[in-house]
Amino acid sequence: MVGAGDRFRSGELTVIGRVTTASNVTLVCEVIGTAPDDANGLPLRVVYKPIRGEQPLWDFPDGTLAGREVASYLISEAIGWALIPETILREGPFGPGMVQRWVEGVDNHTEQGNRLDLIDLCPAGAIPEGFCEVLRALDQEGNEVSLIHADDPRLQRMAVLDVLLNNADRKGGHALEGVDGQVYGVDHGICLHAEHKLRTVLWGWAGQPISDGLIADLTAFAKELPGAFADTLSEHITDAEIDALTERTRRVLDDPVMPVPRTARPIPWPAF
């Protein structure tokens, strides 16, 4: 019997939908096979982004966005944080591309009531307990609102990962709260540039110390980064980008404080 892991890597992908809000071709697929997914007895669902569907970016000319997504996943795994769903490069119906396990997210907006998402908007200045304010702006109706995110250690760990990845596109919709209680980051196609590109909605901890536990994880990662792991990353990003990752890791360890915005555009647009 074919297991879910084997199907994920080599099973036939059947397209069942498309994420129309994505800038690049993003397809939702199920993997054909007779074996149910080991976890829940349901068909194995994945996200598939074919390389041929990528929009060229002048400031990310090297490699592929799919490769950057895989490299970001490998880094998250090497640190031991498991913040990115399993992500691989493989063949699909439209050629090679990134395939990532689907995350079943929590629905905070039900008939029984609403609660705030991990990253959300609220009336200006009315910051709920347990949330951090990032900025104030006007919504589509011209009302002043606050962009906020949960003061949640699961999300804070993602903010630290984004510093290492030099994530240029951490939108509100790119942080998912799974029904399994974990928080996952998705859409890492424009990460790992050698030049500073950090754009994120997770600025609520700017200037605050990074916890000792996270620094211990990064200390172990810094020892693993040279050698074989760097060789693995070189299949997806350039040597200059690997050197820049090493330097970003060293800077965090030398000064274990969350950075503050230092560009005119520190937040991606749109923010969600």
Side-chain angles (χ1 to χ4, degrees):
M1 181 176 288
V2 178
D6 295 330
R7 285 193 292 146
F8 176 66
R9 291 170 178 79
S10 59
E12 183 179 350
L13 302 182
T14 299
V15 177
I16 61 172
R18 178 174 179 176
V19 180
T20 56
T21 55
S23 336
N24 300 286
V25 175
T26 302
L27 304 172
V28 181
C29 299
E30 287 184 347
V31 186
I32 294 176
T34 57
D37 181 71
D38 295 341
N40 52 26
L42 298 174
L44 184 61
R45 182 166 292 187
V46 300
V47 174
Y48 164 52
K49 298 181 183 180
I51 291 172
R52 63 190 287 189
E54 296 180 359
Q55 297 290 330
L57 297 175
W58 68 268
D59 54 344
F60 281 81
D62 298 310
T64 64
L65 305 188
R68 293 177 185 278
E69 296 229 37
V70 174
S72 297
Y73 163 74
L74 293 173
I75 292 165
S76 171
E77 290 299 294
I79 300 172
W81 288 351
L83 283 168
I84 300 175
E86 186 177 6
T87 308
I88 61 174
L89 282 176
R90 55 154 292 183
E91 285 291 333
F94 300 103
M98 181 223 79
V99 173
Q100 185 175 81
R101 288 185 182 269
W102 178 265
V103 173
E104 190 65 37
V106 171
D107 184 2
N108 290 323
H109 311 284
T110 66
E111 294 181 358
Q112 288 71 38
N114 293 331
R115 70 180 180 92
L116 290 170
D117 292 326
L118 289 172
I119 303 166
D120 216 324
L121 299 173
C122 72
I127 314 305
E129 184 177 356
F131 279 78
C132 305
E133 184 179 42
V134 177
L135 59 76
R136 297 188 185 184
L138 299 179
D139 66 12
Q140 293 179 335
E141 285 73 42
N143 302 311
E144 191 177 17
V145 295
S146 292
L147 173 63
I148 59 176
H149 65 66
D151 187 7
D152 185 317
R154 302 171 301 171
L155 201 60
Q156 187 174 22
R157 187 170 57 176
M158 182 178 295
V160 177
L161 178 65
D162 282 344
V163 173
L164 263 63
L165 296 180
N166 197 17
N167 192 346
D169 195 37
R170 177 63 73 198
K171 293 183 171 72
H174 295 174
L176 308 177
E177 185 175 12
V179 295
D180 60 0
Q182 302 301 312
V183 170
Y184 297 97
V186 297
D187 286 311
H188 296 92
I190 50 175
C191 288
L192 296 166
H193 201 289
E195 300 175 8
H196 180 78
K197 297 280 186 181
L198 183 62
R199 290 192 294 267
T200 175
V201 295
L202 301 178
W203 287 113
W205 300 285
Q208 296 186 20
I210 300 172
S211 72
D212 291 344
L214 298 182
I215 292 301
D217 293 339
L218 296 183
T219 300
F221 171 68
K223 295 176 181 177
E224 183 180 346
L225 184 52
F229 185 64
D231 292 341
T232 299
L233 290 179
S234 69
E235 299 175 14
H236 307 293
I237 58 177
T238 67
D239 289 346
E241 290 165 338
I242 295 171
D243 290 343
L245 168 65
T246 303
E247 175 62 19
R248 289 192 297 271
T249 305
R250 185 194 63 77
R251 284 202 303 266
V252 169
L253 294 176
D254 288 347
D255 184 18
V257 174
M258 290 298 292
V260 298
R262 59 184 177 94
T263 66
R265 188 189 166 198
I267 293 176
W269 185 258
F272 288 89

